[in-house]
Amino acid sequence: MQVVHACLASTNTLRTATAVPLVHDLVRAHARPADGLEHLRARPAAGGGLDVVLFVRARCHGTAREQMHTLLDRVAAPASVHGFTLRLT
């Protein structure tokens, strides 16, 4: 299992209490078996937004990052409707 870090940046005043379950739901809803997503954790970041940790089934870190990049591309449009972006760090 590989660990991939991402961050959520909000373009509005989305509260952290609302953002955490929303991020979980959006990522899970758009994940496909080929993405290898096992689970994710989200928590408030020191500078605002959220830190997101994605746990991925992959042989190496580079492959895991590619898989999560593909997944986050699918999440981008619905996330923007809610006023935020997710990106790998």
Side-chain angles (χ1 to χ4, degrees):
M1 184 176 312
Q2 302 293 324
V3 176
V4 177
H5 295 271
C7 67
L8 174 142
S10 181
T11 58
N12 63 23
T13 57
L14 185 66
R15 292 189 351 225
T16 301
T18 305
V20 170
L22 183 59
V23 167
H24 277 96
D25 289 349
L26 284 173
V27 172
R28 279 281 174 209
H30 290 86
R32 298 175 183 162
D35 296 325
L37 180 68
E38 289 286 334
H39 60 280
L40 67 140
R41 303 258 188 228
R43 65 178 182 185
L50 296 178
D51 287 328
V52 181
V53 181
L54 305 149
F55 297 86
V56 186
R57 256 185 345 270
R59 290 181 187 244
C60 67
H61 187 71
T63 301
R65 283 186 63 83
E66 288 174 18
Q67 291 169 206
M68 291 304 95
H69 187 272
T70 300
L71 172 56
L72 295 184
D73 280 350
R74 286 195 302 276
V75 173
S80 69
V81 169
H82 295 282
F84 66 87
T85 58
L86 269 167
R87 64 176 177 81
L88 296 179
T89 57

